[in-house]
Amino acid sequence: MTVEQNVLQQHSQKHQQTLLNQLREVTGTTDVQLLQQALQVSHGDLAEAVAFLTEKNAKVPQQDEATYYQTTQVGNDRYISVGSQADTSEYLPHPALPGAVPSQGDTNVIDLTGDDKDDLQRAIALSLEESSRAFRETGITDEEQAISRVLEASIAENKASLKRTHTEVWSDSPNPHDRKRMENCPVGLKNVGNTCWFSAVIQSLFNLLEFQRLVLHYSPPARVQDLPRNQKEHRNLPFMQELRNLFSLMVGSKRKYVDPSCAVEILKDAFKSSESQQDVSEFTHKLLDWLEDAFQMKAEEDREGEKPKNPMVELFYGRFLAVGVLEGKKFENTEMFGQYPLQVNGFKDLHECLEAAMIEGEIESLHSSAENSAKSGQEHWFTELPPVLTFELSRFEFNQALGRPEKIHSKLEFPSMLYMDRYMDRNREITRIKREEIRRLKEHLTLLQQRLERYLSYGSGPKRFPLADVLQYAMEFTSSKPVCTSPVGDFDTSAPPGGTTGQLLLASSTAEQGPSTPPEGLAPALAPTPAPSTQQRVPIHKPFTQSRLPPDLPMHPAPRHITEEELRVLEGCLHRWRSEVENDTRDLQGSISRIHRTIELMYSDKSMMQVPYRLHAVLVHEGQANAGHYWAYIYDPHQRCWMKYNDISVTKSSWEELVRDSFGGYRNASAYCLMYINDKKPFLIEEEFDKETGQMLSGLDKLPPDLKAYVKEDNGLFDKEMEEWNTLQARKAQQEKMALAVAAAATAVVAETATTTSPQPMSTEPSTPDNSAPQQDPEYMEQPSPTDFSRHLQEDTERAISKAAAEQQEERSPEGLLTAAIKVEYTRLLRFAQEDTAPGNDYRLQHVIVYFIQNQAPKKILERTLLMQFADRNLGFNERCKSIMKVARAKLDLIKPEEINMEEYEMWHQDYRNFRETTIFLMIGLELFQKKSFVEALMYLIYSYQYNRELLVKGLYRGHDDELIGLYRRECLLKLNENAAGMFESGEEPEVSNGLSIMNELVVPCIPLLLVHDIEKDLLSVEDMRNRWCSYLGQEMEPNLQEKLTDFLPKLLDCSTEIKSFHDPPKLPTYSTLELVERYGRVMASLSRVPADGR
């Protein structure tokens, strides 16, 4: 067959597959045979095929034998996938795999037989005619157009992100050092707008080192200019080049993550766009299809005259044998498959899914020799498995009653090592025998479980109990002794229990007195009646005696009359029966456990463990059918651990985390695609070695020359960006330092002038020696009010001097007094540092030395800080204080540069300034939170948490309790989410807009901050917020609300985990230390009275 004939045949097959997929999507029919017959009857006319399938009360017609036999055309060696869903809508259910057992409730035909059936059919016909005409004119299928729409939306989102403000999470950090790659850390992929599906698939393929090598070393056909410039060539070759560039950056880039926009641009140009996230399996289908086309052109050029070998086909495609029986006649067909789709609903693990997918129909006739049997069915047996085996887990299904897709959240387990021997054609007979044995065991298991159920749920009424317990209760009853008491003692006869009795007693008393008027205040209706005459005797109602309990009623249930002989017989029988029941129950449970174990070990012999496949990657989807987020777990064989690839974030993970996110069943996250690799083919994940030196290639050494130059150029640009940033920051620091020096000099001049004129209030800012450069005092000691804590601090210092003078009776020199005073002050502060106090009484806020002691600052830092305190020229006005001040300033002047590291000194004081700022952020945030001003409180809590974590990295006592700040940050976001959701539920336009504005401007940008540290409570809070908004998907609402919700949900669900920059922090007011201590103490004390949730 010539190349041209092969191309034409492949095009015809693809067109036929496209028609089948369009027909499946329109009618909802998943029966491939029925779809093929409809096309055959209609001679390829889709409108007639739809009419044929939607005929009222239509029954499944008798299939043509040739149609059933010929599931693939002769010569078709490029079958895309079994039951391929590549051409279906993103969120429609995956079509059933030929061979999969349909779930109950499914129908072959959607009922469209309403009163407007003709109108509906005409609309469908027009739609299909338009679709077919577009395909004939452009060669672009509806599926390709759907992918195009999502890519256009991604590109538009990426361009729009450049114009967003810093409050949104989509912009890069301005500091390039935040975007610098850690050594040997995998490179992430930037989410350029609803492209998490792209990142998940590309990372899974990139970490297949054999695939990575194929892409990196791909070269376009040398005679590309001589080839016809068709659509595929325009699309595939540029895409391959951009994919090579992307892979090369992922290998050797210095960036923490790289931008895939260029590759996405190629996809966008090829398909003409979409508005929703792309389905992972659909994208993987098309990606492998394009790669196959690109490698096919190269293979045909390299091996002219021979059948070319396509590495993509050899890597990802396998073959299976379809063994079937149709009306008693057997057939066998070999078919090719790529990604293997599996139904999830109704199955508990991957093997159950595979067993159901491998058998279709009534297969008893496959093993019988009766040629006249009317039964039909087929089995699938793998004849050749690909090195990379991919399973699509169909977790979306279309709810025909509601008219929308829904996600299947049921739990599905899968192993880390999968043995495929039982599904291989060479083991067909052994597997059939084992399947028959399993079937027999399951039938026996069902009978045993039914028998056990009769023991565990005994009785004929609605309530049933274990039979052993029933017998035990009977034994307890028979052995109980009756204890009788007088019921009179149980009642209080001093007060009637009810109004009726009281009235009758009143009537009785008034009857003795004769007729009289009703008592004052008693209604006539309730007035006592005259006493009856003696001749007309009426029975007297005696409520107490007539409602009295029987005199010998026992206190608890017990036999009334039973002899010792009867009791002995009954106890013996009941005890024996209970023992028999317990033994029977244990025997049944043991038999059931043994059968379960036998079934589990049915395929555990070595002969059935020769085809091992190890789990390589798990692609996870979180969200609902209409919106969600994708990420991937990929196994790193060299580090022997799982890695989580979530857009730009690449972190170490574990099998436990993978199970939690992938099995499904209790969260909105579950596995959507499983990628297994043949464990006997290590070349798939083996590193490449230098042929001459034998050393493993890494980094840029793995790249061909053209890509090596490309990566070096990009790394050079990134190095230049970091250098420019460093230069800018150094210039800013120099300017700030100069400004501070000028301000300090000006302050010193003003202080000197003030001292020569008149006494001024004392200041905590020490001045510099007269013959030295100005000494810069830490800015946190510059208090706005010299009358409050500044004076308090000075009084403490003077008190230390006075105490030292009293103790130093012999040594009265200023130097001796300074040493003694410093010792006294240090002792006082050390006692504060060692004292256990409540959170609201934080001595670190009162003095920097307490902070330094608790964080084990160097001795030289403590000494210099104390000297600065005693060197304040405004310390006092008596001669003793002045002399000590002068000695302290002289000592500061005598300290040599090599004796103390001034950079370290400034660093410690800067940390203390940061601690005070963090405290103010926290204090204001908590105050606003308690006032329920959640919008204003959020930024204060966000920044207090971020700054506090930076402090805690250096030591446990550098900051505050991060759990406390994290709690209120989390609760504030939950409150905002609740308020915004309430506004959205109101349906009123201003309220809806305000609610979505709160989410877009405040909540959504903060979600990455909750995700980045993988704290369980933060993750659950994000899950709660997302679930609240996803719950609206199933509710009826106005079209404009539905449109806004659809536009908003991807932003909520597709948040990147990178911490982005916000607006500048809120400007903090200036507090004196005393004011800060008092306000912080009040707000912390109030926290012990008011929980975070406000209850």
Side-chain angles (χ1 to χ4, degrees), residues 75-95:
N76 180 11
D77 58 355
R78 194 165 168 272
Y79 189 80
I80 296 299
S81 173
V82 181
S84 173
Q85 57 196 33
D87 297 305
T88 61
S89 178
E90 173 186 0
Y91 295 118
L92 290 182
H94 296 309

Side-chain angles (χ1 to χ4, degrees), residues 910-1039:
Q910 182 60 49
D911 284 350
Y912 186 65
R913 283 191 288 270
N914 294 340
F915 170 72
R916 283 173 58 92
E917 287 184 1
T918 302
T919 304
I920 296 174
F921 275 119
L922 174 59
M923 178 187 70
I924 297 176
L926 293 176
E927 289 175 344
L928 291 171
F929 183 90
Q930 292 178 342
K931 295 176 182 177
K932 298 185 179 181
S933 300
F934 303 120
V935 174
E936 295 80 3
L938 180 62
M939 281 300 103
Y940 287 97
L941 294 173
I942 287 293
Y943 276 101
S944 67
Y945 187 86
Q946 294 303 116
Y947 292 165
N948 193 65
R949 283 195 69 92
E950 294 173 4
L951 290 171
L952 292 178
V953 170
K954 299 181 180 181
L956 180 62
Y957 298 102
R958 294 290 187 108
H960 296 284
D961 182 5
D962 61 332
E963 291 187 3
L964 173 71
I965 308 177
L967 167 66
Y968 282 92
R969 180 187 68 159
R970 186 166 58 247
E971 290 295 330
C972 190
L973 283 169
L974 289 171
K975 293 289 185 182
L976 287 173
N977 185 76
E978 181 181 352
N979 293 345
M983 294 178 184
F984 182 82
E985 291 173 359
S986 70
E988 300 294 332
E989 182 54 36
E991 290 290 307
V992 171
S993 299
N994 290 340
L996 292 178
S997 177
I998 290 174
M999 294 301 296
N1000 286 321
E1001 296 178 7
L1002 295 176
V1003 178
V1004 171
C1006 292
I1007 285 181
L1009 303 176
L1010 298 183
L1011 299 176
V1012 69
H1013 298 297
D1014 286 335
I1015 298 174
E1016 183 67 22
K1017 292 181 180 179
D1018 287 347
L1019 297 178
L1020 293 176
S1021 297
V1022 173
E1023 186 77 10
D1024 290 341
M1025 288 188 281
R1026 289 174 170 172
N1027 286 343
R1028 176 67 180 270
W1029 289 91
C1030 288
S1031 66
Y1032 298 140
L1033 292 172
Q1035 301 180 13
E1036 296 294 333
M1037 63 180 67
E1038 296 294 330

